[in-house]
Amino acid sequence: MEPATDLVPLRRVRLPGRGPEDVVADARGRILTGLEDGRVLRVDGLTEPGAPVRTEVLARTGGRPLGLELLPDDGLLVCDADRGLLRIGLADGRVDVLADRVAGERIRFASNVVALPDGSVCFTVSTRRYPLEQWIGDIVEHTGTGRLLRLAPGAREPEVLLEGLHFANGLAAAPDGASVVVAETGAYRLTRVHLTGPRAGRADPLVEHLPGMPDNIWRARPDAPIWVALAGPRVPPLDLLHRTAPAVRRAAARVAVRAPFRPTGRIGVLAVDDDGRILHHLARRRSAFRMVTSVCAAGERLVLGSLWEHGLAVCAAPHDTAPGDPPAGRSVT
């Protein structure tokens, strides 16, 4: 991988709450995000130099909103770590539960979601063993209990498309909707899962050996690059631990979930294409804004979200990047 170029911070904006874990941009460049207290916000003026920032509360999920996906019918899909897959009406703030169980098991730690051209929805479950508050336990134990689920149009319960994922996280769809890319945070890779054709249900690596842990991923439109947030750098002792026996990893995880956690100051984001080529690698070794869990392009800026921080960061996008208007989204029936 080519050396990273500098991730240039331009602005930090404090929000009225902590943990804007995922960020998405609408067609007007406004940023939507969810906080740890259950509020879903829309932030306007963030990427306009010198403009006042206006924040409005769109809804309260009653849980912990994580991954978001805009829909064309003034709706927003939300993966809620406590309540499952939700849909929010942006006009009225109504919150509907689309899926909270699969195969008789309660869905917990729903992580990220993407709408497909056929009206179905794919979403990830990061781990079946740990709650969000103990996410580091799964990273340490390396359980491989992440899942990719699909909710068909009109269905009451999703189906399991793929199991055995190492902390399944961000999602992006292929331009034709024939596959999705899943970020496996615990395996430092992006995995392509085929949805149609002779390889339906099978997976292959799109990008391996990433320089950090991929979290939420986002693309502005079908022909745009996939932006990948790197929530933390690779940790060599952790790589070694993952090669040990399950009992050793479980013991280490019990310690990890009780130890105080503070993210490093090293942050980064990537842009990749559908062939797995790295188009951009932007990084900063010492950043006051820590643990970047999401990134989206809005105009000529990149907006960063964080599970850790009390606000958002705005950075310069690469000069040859033309994010364009974000897509209106795709319908879900």
Side-chain angles (χ1 to χ4, degrees):
M1 183 176 294
E2 295 294 326
T5 55
D6 195 24
L7 183 60
V8 181
L10 300 176
R11 188 179 192 184
R12 289 182 64 179
V13 175
R14 190 172 181 87
L15 297 178
R18 188 183 183 199
E21 195 267 350
D22 193 19
V23 289
V24 297
D26 69 13
R28 292 171 52 184
R30 298 173 298 184
I31 305 301
L32 288 83
T33 190
L35 303 179
E36 68 176 3
D37 63 7
R39 285 178 295 170
V40 175
L41 307 181
R42 182 161 53 203
V43 186
D44 197 6
L46 189 65
T47 61
E48 304 168 21
V53 174
R54 299 173 296 279
T55 301
E56 60 180 314
V57 177
L58 299 175
R60 299 175 186 269
T61 69
R64 202 326 176 179
L66 297 175
L68 311 173
E69 169 87 335
L70 279 164
L71 299 171
D73 58 355
D74 208 18
L76 179 72
L77 294 175
V78 178
C79 276
D80 191 289
D82 301 324
R83 302 191 63 201
L85 179 65
L86 313 178
R87 181 192 181 280
I88 293 175
L90 297 182
D92 58 11
R94 174 174 169 174
V95 178
D96 293 307
V97 178
L98 299 183
D100 59 4
R101 304 190 72 83
V102 58
E105 177 183 329
R106 181 186 170 194
I107 296 172
R108 66 173 185 173
F109 211 154
S111 187
N112 206 278
V113 58
V114 66
L116 300 174
D118 65 359
S120 64
V121 169
C122 284
F123 63 106
T124 53
V125 172
S126 288
T127 168
R128 297 170 67 192
R129 191 165 297 173
Y130 291 88
L132 172 63
E133 296 76 16
Q134 297 181 343
W135 63 267
I136 197 170
D138 196 86
I139 295 297
V140 171
E141 187 179 345
H142 207 49
T143 68
T145 59
R147 281 175 157 180
L148 175 65
L149 308 180
R150 177 168 56 188
L151 184 67
R156 294 187 176 183
E157 186 171 300
E159 62 176 318
V160 179
L161 289 182
L162 190 64
E163 297 190 274
L165 296 167
H166 287 285
F167 207 90
N169 214 318
L171 277 173
D176 60 0
S179 63
V180 293
V181 176
V182 184
E184 288 191 80
T185 304
Y188 307 108
R189 70 179 170 224
L190 303 180
T191 299
R192 178 166 40 209
V193 182
H194 300 272
L195 304 178
T196 62
R199 291 183 54 79
R202 298 185 182 181
D204 51 63
L206 179 67
V207 188
E208 296 186 283
H209 311 299
L210 291 170
M213 297 181 179
D215 202 297
N216 289 306
I217 62 181
W218 181 87
R219 72 189 316 167
R221 57 181 189 270
D223 62 341
I226 299 170
W227 281 99
V228 183
L230 300 178
R234 293 193 71 131
V235 181
L238 184 61
D239 293 345
L240 293 174
L241 178 65
H242 287 171
R243 301 171 191 164
T244 64
V248 175
R249 301 198 306 270
R250 284 195 296 271
R254 287 195 293 270
V255 174
V257 298
R258 292 174 173 80
F261 172 78
R262 180 172 175 80
T264 72
R266 180 176 295 183
I267 62 171
V269 299
L270 301 170
V272 306
D273 66 14
D274 287 290
D275 295 318
R277 291 187 292 260
I278 305 295
L279 305 178
H280 300 288
H281 178 199
L282 311 177
R284 196 165 189 84
R285 295 181 63 87
R286 295 178 180 87
S287 171
F289 188 88
R290 296 170 181 250
M291 197 177 181
V292 174
T293 53
S294 56
V295 55
C296 70
E300 298 179 355
R301 300 287 184 258
L302 298 177
V303 179
L304 312 181
S306 169
L307 183 70
W308 177 264
E309 296 287 347
H310 285 77
L312 304 172
V314 181
C315 300
H319 291 299
D320 59 342
T321 298
D325 291 333
R330 295 183 173 86
S331 61
V332 179
T333 59

